[in-house]
Amino acid sequence: MWVFELVVPGVWLEMEDRQLSWEVEGLLRHLEGSFFEANTALNLFHQARVIDSQDPSHSHDDWERDRARRIEIQNALIQARGGLSHDHYMEIHFEAEVIHKREKWSQGRVPRELQHNVVFIYARAFLYAMDAFDKFLTVLSKTAGVPPELTQLSNKMNEHFPHLRGVRNSAQHQEDRARGLGVRGAKIDLKPIDNTMVKAPGGVLMLNCLNGSRYGSTMADGHYGEVDVSPESMACLQSLLLEVLNCFSWKGPKRHLPSG
């Protein structure tokens, strides 16, 4: 488990305008919340990848046992019906398959589709938490009366994660991207892709992909973008948040997060 720590310099902001102080403190709390949500998603993503890689259905021995059990169920069905005609073969085969699946599920086996989807769900959760962090930081940087350094930090976020907004938008609008549509229904001009997963000089539409730990999709501008669901991304987010917190003057004792 990865735990990314924060040291908040104080308890309250030292600002003359109490209304502004209250608003800014609220935005900072939301930044912290998005940060720890990303940390949570990262850990769950990593755990899900480990479980997915250990799926017993990947084992040849398990495949053979499953095949033998299906044949056993099928033979029992044939015997119960007093034999098998050619016309009923596919029906018996289908019924045996269904019985076998339900038997495995009752014993705790998770269907491949459900297990495989867990990794993608947590990858998108990480993406959405990062996007929320970015949005709160943008709003904070544009708030009148805050330190001007926040604008630079907001720009840093975009520099470190240049594909964040585009990948997030594609994740939220897959119904458009799947039809090759970008912003306001414009046709996407697909750009070349050359990475460890795909080499397509003429471009290809890709949605909801995992390239190692990198979650990616074709973006509205036709380029393929990725966001790395990794401790390195979290460390970058941690550094940015600490810089944001240290931009302000604080009152009260410093605090260590997360709580014990």
Side-chain angles (χ1 to χ4, degrees):
M1 180 176 70
W2 291 290
V3 178
F4 288 85
E5 304 173 27
L6 297 175
V7 175
V8 184
V11 180
W12 308 281
L13 292 178
E14 194 168 9
M15 304 176 78
E16 291 185 6
D17 187 332
R18 290 309 304 160
Q19 178 62 28
L20 175 62
S21 177
W22 183 84
E23 291 176 3
V24 172
E25 286 172 1
L27 289 171
L28 290 175
R29 283 193 296 272
H30 283 297
L31 271 178
E32 293 171 7
S34 299
F35 173 80
F36 287 120
E37 186 175 322
N39 193 167
T40 304
L42 170 63
N43 284 315
L44 292 171
F45 171 79
H46 176 70
Q47 293 168 14
R49 286 187 74 195
V50 171
I51 292 171
D52 195 40
S53 69
Q54 298 171 346
D55 184 350
S57 64
H58 295 161
S59 163
H60 178 73
D61 289 342
D62 280 279
W63 183 87
E64 285 290 349
R65 277 193 291 271
D66 283 348
R67 186 180 69 85
R69 178 58 181 149
R70 281 194 300 271
I71 292 173
E72 184 180 331
I73 295 170
Q74 187 169 299
N75 289 337
L77 290 172
I78 293 171
Q79 185 176 3
R81 286 164 173 74
L84 176 66
S85 68
H86 177 74
D87 293 340
H88 293 155
Y89 173 77
M90 292 306 297
E91 181 182 341
I92 292 290
H93 178 78
F94 175 81
E95 189 175 345
E97 182 75 12
V98 172
I99 291 172
H100 180 239
K101 284 181 180 179
R102 290 172 177 170
E103 185 179 85
K104 289 193 297 180
W105 299 340
S106 69
Q107 294 167 355
R109 178 78 68 85
V110 179
R112 284 192 299 274
E113 292 87 346
L114 301 191
Q115 181 59 55
H116 188 59
N117 275 330
V118 173
V119 179
F120 288 86
I121 289 169
Y122 291 142
R124 287 193 296 271
F126 184 84
L127 174 73
Y128 297 151
M130 293 268 287
D131 182 65
F133 184 97
D134 182 36
K135 285 185 169 69
F136 281 121
L137 181 54
T138 299
V139 170
L140 182 62
S141 69
K142 293 179 179 179
T143 302
V146 301
E149 297 91 336
L150 289 176
T151 299
Q152 296 175 344
L153 293 176
S154 181
N155 292 336
K156 265 191 183 182
M157 181 76 182
N158 294 328
E159 291 168 8
H160 289 310
F161 306 103
H163 297 157
L164 174 60
R165 186 60 55 85
V167 174
R168 177 267 178 194
N169 286 344
S170 287
Q172 286 289 90
H173 298 286
Q174 291 191 48
E175 75 287 354
D176 289 332
R177 301 296 181 271
R179 295 178 292 154
L181 302 179
V183 178
R184 299 184 186 89
K187 198 70 176 176
I188 294 177
D189 179 18
L190 295 173
K191 304 300 190 294
I193 303 176
D194 186 356
N195 58 33
T196 56
M197 183 171 58
V198 172
K199 295 186 186 301
V204 63
L205 183 67
M206 300 182 66
L207 297 175
N208 200 38
C209 300
L210 269 179
N211 181 15
S213 64
R214 297 185 295 276
Y215 178 84
S217 287
T218 298
M219 301 181 290
D221 66 0
H223 289 94
Y224 177 76
E226 292 180 328
V227 173
D228 197 11
V229 187
S230 68
E232 290 75 19
S233 292
M234 274 305 305
C236 183
L237 212 63
Q238 179 188 45
S239 177
L240 280 170
L241 182 49
L242 288 172
E243 287 189 73
V244 169
L245 295 172
N246 286 315
C247 280
F248 294 92
S249 296
W250 294 81
K251 294 185 293 184
K254 63 183 178 181
R255 296 176 290 130
H256 180 261
L257 297 176
S259 59

